[in-house]
């Protein structure tokens, strides 16, 4: 049996697979995404409480379509097929799947034929998110339809005796009004889960695992960037092995205002690891001199980072393990499911362990989603400002300075950004807007200050709302807030004389300016 109740999600390449995993975990039930062809023996070995078959782009009637071994349905474990997962279930168990007369896409009213089992407590009709071309036209023996839409007579089906279910709509997306309830019914009523996935429980198990892996005397080296992931990884490993953890923090002088000091404080006082800060700002600025092309900036920063890190690591003597803050989306996106070790291709650690001669990697966060990493950080006692830090590009503020990067320009970004953050916090918008920052545009403009003509920098405000950072909308910030931020920047930040607001969505723009 699994150490904790686990839902295995077999992935057929659907765009919402990760979202299904997150929704399950939000219900305090642990879930793992696995490739659709995970063997029946392996599924049995993992002892899941339930199995979810994801959506996917294929059509079950296509000879090349991914088909699971029908023995999965005979494991005695409840199965929920979503979209393609439902069609596959129908196809494999003797039902029929046909092309729908009309492709259904978007929010559609679904009528529930029953309000028990999977649909327990749901309304007779509710809005659901549909996105399909194929649909089940005849249920397999033992199944009966449990929901329908105008165009799709079998929008859900069930074999209650065998505890096998299918839904054509997507309960995992927020556009499905009662999706949360449906998933909860599956987890708690049908699979018998009790909600044993909590961050405190995870921390305890993870600490024990690290202790077991590293042994009584093993040492660990970690590259601390100051971001959420590496900081939480460091805190967790510190709890497991104390000062046998050494953190090397390469300070490139391109972090936000106050962050470098905070990282030093947290890892010298709250989590007193063996902490090495390499102050390399001069080297980074020297190497960035005259460089204006964004990719070139990234390349130089990546290269310098590795150089500095290697130099520091070589002074430390032999370390047994290299630790990094790889998180679950990196693992899933690399297509490696949950079995193999993955090295995050982040600019500052990609390839480093190998170059430094490490064969042993410790990645204690590799099963966690970002929001879970934050909860873990809080459970471990890291400061809130650190745990709730916004996403931040590896190359730091260098990509928020358009054109050549100089210490003065970085200071303008740091100061203006600090003002923007302060005012967002005062307005209570810190966690309502996904990401916000200032950019030093390459534009100079004429102004007057006192009686003097000025010719100084233009600062842009960028604030976006997004779920996944792949697409984003510009945040509709209150005018009063924008006015205060603008006035403070031009008054308090020397050489910033104009403030503009970026009102572009992604696509076509990106979030960063670079
Ligand atoms: P763009 O500008 O591509 O940014 O719309 C999407 C998100 O990614 C962040 N970003 C990075 N994160 N290393 C990172 O870890 C990087 O090199 C990097 N570049 C951009 C960006 O801040 C936004 O949240």
């Amino acid at each position: 049996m699994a150490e904790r109740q686990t839902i295995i999600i077999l992935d057929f390449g659907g765009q919402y697979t990760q979202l299904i995993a997150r929704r399950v975990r939000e219900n305090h039930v642990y879930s793992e995404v696995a490739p659709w062809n995970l063997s029946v023996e392996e599924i049995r070995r993992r002892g899941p409480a339930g199995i979810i078959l994801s959506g996917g782009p294929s059509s079950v009637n296509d000879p090349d379509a991914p088909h699971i071994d029908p023995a999965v349905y005979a494991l005695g474990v409840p199965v929920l097929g979503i979209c393609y997962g439902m069609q596959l279930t129908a196809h494999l168990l003797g039902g029929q799947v046909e092309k729908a007369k009309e492709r259904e896409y978007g929010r559609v009213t679904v009528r529930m034929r029953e309000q028990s089992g999977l649909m327990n407590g749901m309304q007779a009709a509710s809005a659901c998110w549909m996105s399909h071309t194929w649909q089940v036209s005849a249920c397999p023996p033992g199944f009966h339809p449990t929901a329908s839409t105008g165009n799709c007579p079998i929008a859900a089906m069930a074999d209650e005796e065998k505890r096998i279910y299918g839904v054509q709509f997507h309960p995992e997306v927020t556009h499905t009004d009662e999706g949360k309830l449906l998933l909860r019914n599956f987890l708690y009523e049908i699979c018998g889960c009790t909600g044993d996935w909590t961050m405190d429980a995870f921390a305890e198990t993870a600490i024990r695992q690290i202790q077991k892996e590293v042994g009584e005397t093993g040492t660990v080296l970690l590259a601390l960037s100051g971001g959420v992931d590496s900081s939480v990884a460091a805190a967790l490993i510190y709890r497991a092995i104390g000062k046998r953890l050494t953190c090397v923090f390469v300070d490139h002088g391109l972090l936000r205002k106050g962050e470098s000091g905070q990282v030093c404080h947290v890892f010298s006082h709250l989590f007193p690891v063996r902490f090495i800060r390499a102050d390399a700002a001069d080297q980074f600025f020297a190497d960035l001199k005259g460089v204006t092309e964004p990719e070139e900036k990234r390349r130089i920063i990546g290269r310098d980072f590795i150089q500095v890190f290697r130099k520091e690591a070589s002074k430390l003597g032999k370390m047994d393990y290299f630790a990094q803050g790889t998180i679950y989306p990196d693992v899933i996106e690399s297509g490696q499911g949950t079995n193999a070790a993955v090295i995050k291709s982040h600019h500052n650690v990609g390839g480093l362990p190998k170059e430094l001669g490490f064969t042993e990697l410790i990645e204690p966060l590799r099963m966690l989603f970002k929001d879970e990493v934050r909860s873990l950080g809080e459970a471990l006692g890291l400061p809130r400002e650190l745990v709730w830090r916004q996403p931040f590009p590896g190359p730091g503020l260098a990509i928020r300075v358009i054109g050549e990067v100089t210490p003065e320009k970085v200071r303008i970004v740091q100061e203006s950004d600090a003002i923007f953050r302060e005012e967002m916090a005062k307005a209570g918008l810190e966690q309502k807007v996904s990401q916000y920052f200032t950019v030093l545009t390459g534009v100079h403009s004429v102004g007057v200050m006192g009686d003097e003509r000025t010719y100084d920098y233009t600062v842009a405000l960028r604030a976006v709302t997004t779920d996944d950072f792949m697409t984003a909308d510009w945040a509709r910030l209150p005018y009063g807030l924008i006015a205060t931020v603008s006035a403070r920047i031009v008054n308090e930040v020397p050489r910033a004389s104009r403030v503009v607001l970026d009102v572009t969505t992604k696509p076509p723009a990106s979030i960063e300016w670079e």
Side-chain angles (χ1 to χ4, degrees), residues 298 344 346-347 391-395 399-400 435 437 469 506 509-514:
R298 282 179 175 268
K344 190 175 179 182
H346 191 271
H347 88 97
F392 188 63
I399 64 166
R400 294 185 184 162
Q435 194 175 9
F437 51 87
F469 295 87
K506 171 183 180 178
S510 54
I511 295 175
E512 301 287 348
W513 280 39
E514 306 236 356

Side-chain angles (χ1 to χ4, degrees), residues 245-257:
L245 169 65
T246 302
C247 292
V248 173
F249 169 51
V250 175
D251 190 349
H252 47 28
L254 300 164
L255 288 179
R256 281 170 289 212
K257 188 179 175 183

Side-chain angles (χ1 to χ4, degrees), residues 359-491:
T359 46
E360 304 287 350
L361 265 186
I362 296 203
E363 298 179 301
L365 312 180
R366 66 197 309 279
M367 302 317 279
L368 302 187
F369 285 108
K370 190 81 180 186
D371 40 348
E372 294 172 322
V373 172
R374 293 192 205 274
S375 312
L376 176 63
E378 286 195 311
L380 290 168
L382 280 168
R384 268 189 74 80
E385 322 81 91
L386 197 162
V387 166
W388 286 99
R389 228 165 239 184
Q390 302 171 48
F392 188 63
L397 299 179
I399 64 166
R400 294 185 184 162
V401 168
I402 309 308
E404 186 187 9
V405 181
T406 64
E408 183 189 43
K409 289 183 182 172
V410 170
R411 181 194 50 78
I412 297 174
V413 183
Q414 283 174 332
E415 298 294 334
S416 54
D417 186 70
I419 291 173
F420 194 13
R421 281 195 279 153
E422 213 179 293
E423 293 301 328
M424 289 289 282
K426 271 193 212 157
L429 292 174
E430 247 176 335
Q431 279 171 40
K432 296 205 172 108
V433 177
S434 316
Q435 194 175 9
Y436 49 92
F437 51 87
T438 60
V439 175
L440 189 65
T441 72
V443 175
H444 282 67
S445 73
V446 173
V448 273
M449 207 170 260
D451 290 330
E452 299 270 321
R453 175 187 186 275
T454 58
Y455 188 59
D456 276 329
Y457 292 106
T458 304
V459 170
L461 306 180
R462 180 67 161 149
V464 295
T465 52
T466 172
D467 281 333
D468 54 8
F469 295 87
M470 306 295 280
T471 62
D473 194 5
W474 56 280
R476 297 343 187 227
L477 301 177
Y479 277 177
L481 170 75
I482 299 171
T484 311
V485 172
S486 163
R488 282 195 59 193
I489 290 176
V490 290
N491 282 316

Side-chain angles (χ1 to χ4, degrees), residues 183-225:
L183 283 176
R184 199 180 160 77
N185 284 339
F186 180 67
L187 300 172
Y188 283 79
E189 308 299 326
I190 294 163
C191 301
C193 293
T194 52
D196 62 359
W197 172 245
T198 65
M199 276 307 125
D200 286 334
F202 172 81
E204 258 177 52
T205 317
I207 288 168
R208 274 203 309 275
Q209 257 169 13
I210 296 167
Q211 286 166 338
K212 200 166 133 208
E213 208 172 328
V214 175
E216 302 264 303
T217 55
T219 50
V220 177
L221 174 64
L222 183 139
L224 197 60
S225 71

Side-chain angles (χ1 to χ4, degrees), residues 91-369:
H91 181 81
L92 293 177
L93 298 182
Q96 248 176 18
V97 176
E98 283 175 6
K99 203 161 195 164
K101 277 199 198 81
E102 273 177 62
R103 180 169 178 258
E104 242 179 347
Y105 182 82
R107 259 163 85 89
V108 173
T109 300
V110 176
R111 291 180 197 290
M112 311 300 161
R113 293 206 184 181
E114 54 193 25
Q115 278 130 327
S116 57
L118 198 60
M119 275 84 171
N120 195 14
M122 288 172 68
Q123 310 281 328
S126 68
C128 296
W129 187 258
M130 285 283 207
S131 171
H132 68 116
T133 314
W134 293 79
Q135 64 189 33
V136 174
S137 52
C139 287
F143 282 77
H144 62 278
T146 53
S148 60
T149 74
N151 290 320
C152 180
I154 309 177
M157 62 180 193
D159 177 341
E160 258 113 27
E161 211 185 296
K162 296 210 172 91
R163 298 186 300 168
I164 302 173
Y165 302 81
V167 288
Q168 183 55 63
F169 50 88
H170 289 271
E172 68 278 19
V173 304
T174 46
H175 309 291
T176 295
D177 285 349
E178 293 190 299
K180 260 190 185 157
L181 181 56
L182 186 145
L183 283 176
R184 199 180 160 77
N185 284 339
F186 180 67
L187 300 172
Y188 283 79
E189 308 299 326
I190 294 163
C191 301
C193 293
T194 52
D196 62 359
W197 172 245
T198 65
M199 276 307 125
D200 286 334
F202 172 81
E204 258 177 52
T205 317
I207 288 168
R208 274 203 309 275
Q209 257 169 13
I210 296 167
Q211 286 166 338
K212 200 166 133 208
E213 208 172 328
V214 175
E216 302 264 303
T217 55
T219 50
V220 177
L221 174 64
L222 183 139
L224 197 60
S225 71
V228 181
D229 304 342
S230 63
S231 299
V232 174
L236 186 65
I237 299 170
Y238 171 76
R239 290 263 191 258
I241 61 163
K243 280 191 186 289
R244 280 186 284 137
L245 169 65
T246 302
C247 292
V248 173
F249 169 51
V250 175
D251 190 349
H252 47 28
L254 300 164
L255 288 179
R256 281 170 289 212
K257 188 179 175 183
E259 280 187 353
S260 167
Q262 191 194 31
V263 172
C264 295
H265 176 80
V266 167
F267 292 100
S268 324
H269 293 90
L270 285 180
F271 297 86
V273 297
R274 201 172 150 214
F275 181 76
I276 291 155
R277 169 171 173 262
D279 180 359
D282 290 347
Q283 176 180 341
F284 281 83
F285 281 119
D287 290 345
L288 287 168
K289 201 164 185 321
V291 179
T292 54
E293 210 276 312
E295 280 306 304
E296 181 66 3
K297 287 184 197 171
R298 282 179 175 268
R299 202 186 56 71
I300 292 170
I301 293 167
R303 184 202 63 197
D304 280 8
F305 186 96
I306 289 176
Q307 261 178 18
V308 176
F309 191 88
R310 280 173 84 160
K311 202 167 114 201
E312 293 304 322
S314 68
K315 297 181 197 160
L316 294 170
K318 169 105 183 71
M319 294 270 159
D320 301 314
Y321 296 86
F322 189 87
Q324 53 191 30
T326 310
I327 68 171
Y328 201 39
D330 304 322
V331 176
I332 299 177
E333 272 153 27
S334 69
Q336 304 216 20
T338 56
N339 299 319
V342 177
I343 297 165
K344 190 175 179 182
S345 64
H346 191 271
H347 88 97
N348 55 8
V349 286
L352 244 192
K354 247 197 195 147
E355 278 189 47
L356 293 170
F358 283 96
T359 46
E360 304 287 350
L361 265 186
I362 296 203
E363 298 179 301
L365 312 180
R366 66 197 309 279
M367 302 317 279
L368 302 187
F369 285 108

